[in-house]
Amino acid sequence: SEGDLRLTGGVAAGAAVLTWLVLAVVLGATGSSPGKALTGLRVVHHGSGTPIGVGRAVLRSLVLALSGLPTFG
């Protein structure tokens, strides 16, 4: 039914947002994501060479997500 589809869509959206947030926090804390770790890449602060921090990583991920929106539709 329509209610079941809404619930399923809400659960899927919630899982996607939670996954996005966890990956952003891991990126900020370690400078690496699973894909970056496989290729030996890290995201670091240009001046200090340390991981960029959780706040900057969440902002970075949000900007990247927003920049991809025009490709949907």
Side-chain angles (χ1 to χ4, degrees):
S1 73
E2 187 176 323
D4 290 339
L5 288 176
R6 282 188 189 163
L7 179 62
T8 303
V11 169
V17 168
L18 183 62
T19 301
W20 169 82
L21 186 59
V22 167
L23 287 173
V25 169
V26 169
L27 178 69
T30 66
S32 189
S33 65
K36 284 179 183 42
L38 284 173
T39 59
L41 298 173
R42 292 182 62 216
V43 177
V44 296
H45 187 273
H46 69 283
S48 65
T50 60
I52 60 174
V54 173
R56 287 179 188 238
V58 169
L59 179 61
R60 176 185 185 272
S61 295
L62 181 61
V63 168
L64 288 172
L66 291 175
S67 71
L69 284 179
T71 63
F72 292 99

